[in-house]
Amino acid sequence: MVEMLVHLDIICRQKVDEYESELFLVPCMIRTKREDNSHIDFDRSIHLAYRFKEEVVPPAILYRFIATFISIWKLRISTKSSRLMIFTDSADVTIDNEHDMRIDIQGNRIIVSLSHKESQNSIVPTIASTAQECLTHAITRISNFYFSVSEDSDCTRDLPFTIQIGIVCGSDLCFFDHMLRSKEEWTCPDHNRIHKTNSVSRWFADKSHTEGDRCLEDCPGLDMAWLDSNPDDRHLGRLAAEMTMEEIRKIYMHLKEKKPARSWEIINESKNKESFDIKIKALHDWKKNTLYASFKQIQQSMKEEDIDIHILCQISREVQKDLDQPKEKLFIRPSGSNLQQLSDHIGYQTYQLGIELGLKVVEMQQIERNHVTNLRSQTEEVLNKWRRHPEATYEVLLKALYRLELSSVLPYITYEEGLAEQAEVISSDDRRRIEHHAGQDDQNKNLIELVNKRGESTYNVFVDALRISGYKDLADELKYDSQEEGSGEALEPQNKGLSEWNVPVYKVRLQKNYSNIVHCINHENIVDHLISFDILTIADSQMINACPAQIQKNRKLMDILLHGSEKGFIEFLKALREDSVTTELADEIESTLVTSRDISTMHGCYK
Ligand SMILES: [Zn+2]
Ligand SMILES: [Zn+2]
Ligand SMILES: [Zn+2]
């Protein structure tokens, strides 16, 4: 009888550490209201919701869902009241030492919040995706049971709920359909705010690796959270790698709507005969021609051709990996020189590597076109492009290489140089503190906080280091972070310039030596030189000479040069060197140090 009630989820066994608990909970009998003013720490959490089509969550589903929830994970005990944290409309569980999860019922939504004890960025993706998978699985099973009207086992019946992603919008959560998650941003239509979606996409991260990369015996294939979604290029790439040319051809015949046989022939005509390229081209061709391309369509076509649908499970999982580097190293962004040798050892798998690293098919086509005959340059460009992605870390790169079965190239990656070391003002102790924090975002935040504390000069050196090492994008990110932090006024002038590097360096050099130049030079010979090299016109010369005093003439000349080309600057220096009096000035101008701060200060003046 007890087992019967358990089976029906009317009562449930509480999850306890080792032994089977004999304590039972009856969710529908719980009467306690949540009183700890139900505050969720948004900085440490990501959110998901199951939204029901009815006005409220159907009670039968709700109680069963709560029962499942607390039988999979361990209920938390309130530190204040020492009572189990289960209430009429909410429950808290512990996943591991670092992650907690909580459900709240609000109207027709079951809201799931997953928190890390430190920060949102530290949430481990496989923990989020596993929790999501388990909950979606449970709620699908419960709904099917509750709404079971037909014997149709094919599961084509509409489920009574949709999955949504919750995102902090102002002081509360707003929700959007999970099918829109492949976009990098989401604009809340109610509040007109733009949100980045990279941290919430953890709910749908690759699943954890399984023994021998096999599915369980009773694996039903991908669940609805995956089936409904739009396959990104990375998944198409994995599919192209896992399936044979013949298999891809067969599913393409089903997937492609217009003249599939003919399109297939055309794809195969392309000059590049690498089989991966043809397969990904076919899959991408289908995706770009389809309004709502989904995994469900791929699965359907595989079923019709008797191809194992668990290939789809396989591409949704992480690879077995044995990353022998310490964790703090793995979360750093590699520099260009760290990857230099790698380019010699990737070869024809460059296309596949680019896709697996998250570059889009279109980007890869452009890279191929840029270096038609030079595979090594293609590899280099792929790695450089990827390195500028916000999530580019050693870990991501190593995982990709493992998936491509390129473990043999790992020794060609170097680690010693990190970003912060290039700015010597940051001590190695500071660096350790920064690396201690898990995610790249966190590292950036810490770095910027540290730099802020050290003051302006540190900031300048740091930003220059970033710029020199080609981290323009990162510099922009940091700028964004520091603005969000509401940092001191000292940072204001630099911030403006970081995103706009369109003031050429030579203009800054002229500007910084302005006073020296206008006081020292004699315009006549210089203007003659510039006219003979087509930099100035006779009209310019007349304009300069129309100014009454020498210093005004010089200012007029400077004004023209500052609004002119770099060629003008070069000829100007040559003219200065023709006169022994101003040779030194020319050297001084040429070797003037230009910092990001100078560029930003200039930006306002010379658009
Ligand atoms: Zn499950
Ligand atoms: Zn909103
Ligand atoms: Zn499977």
Side-chain angles (χ1 to χ4, degrees), residues 214-216 219-222 308-314 317:
R214 279 187 301 268
C215 291
L216 294 173
C219 170
L222 293 181
D308 182 12
I309 60 162
H310 297 282
I311 293 175
L312 292 175
C313 304
Q314 201 183 330
R317 278 194 295 260

Side-chain angles (χ1 to χ4, degrees), residues 167 169-170 172-174 186 188-193 195:
I167 217 158
C169 185
D172 218 340
L173 290 174
C174 287
W186 172 70
C188 172
D190 297 336
H191 304 96
N192 225 342
R193 289 195 187 95
H195 302 281

Side-chain angles (χ1 to χ4, degrees), residues 208-269:
S208 38
H209 175 76
T210 57
E211 183 70 39
D213 204 11
R214 279 187 301 268
C215 291
L216 294 173
E217 232 165 82
D218 58 349
C219 170
L222 293 181
D223 58 40
M224 71 166 277
W226 278 81
L227 286 176
D228 288 342
S229 65
N230 183 245
D232 60 21
D233 288 358
R234 179 184 277 143
H235 288 112
L236 294 185
R238 290 177 187 173
L239 206 54
E242 290 300 329
M243 295 174 73
T244 65
M245 188 74 98
E246 184 55 16
E247 283 170 337
I248 295 280
R249 190 192 64 79
K250 281 178 176 169
I251 66 168
Y252 183 77
M253 294 303 140
H254 287 281
L255 290 169
K256 178 83 179 183
E257 267 179 32
K258 272 186 271 170
K259 302 180 188 159
R262 193 152 180 76
S263 309
W264 178 259
E265 259 178 58
I266 291 168
I267 288 168
N268 271 269
E269 260 179 353

Side-chain angles (χ1 to χ4, degrees), residues 333 390 419-420 423 426 434 440-452 458-459 461-467 471-487 491 494-495 498-499:
R333 181 190 304 263
L419 169 66
I426 295 169
I434 292 164
Q440 186 69 41
D441 287 358
D442 251 18
Q443 284 182 26
N444 293 349
K445 222 178 193 168
N446 271 287
L447 197 51
I448 199 75
E449 271 169 19
L450 196 82
V451 168
N452 282 348
T458 312
Y459 190 89
V461 177
F462 171 66
V463 169
D464 288 336
L466 280 180
R467 188 169 54 81
Y471 279 96
K472 179 185 170 295
D473 292 358
L474 186 60
D476 290 350
E477 273 167 44
L478 287 176
K479 166 207 138 213
Y480 178 72
D481 278 353
S482 74
Q483 279 175 343
E484 267 201 339
E485 296 294 313
S487 58
L491 291 178
Q494 294 93 345
N495 287 342
L498 283 172
S499 57

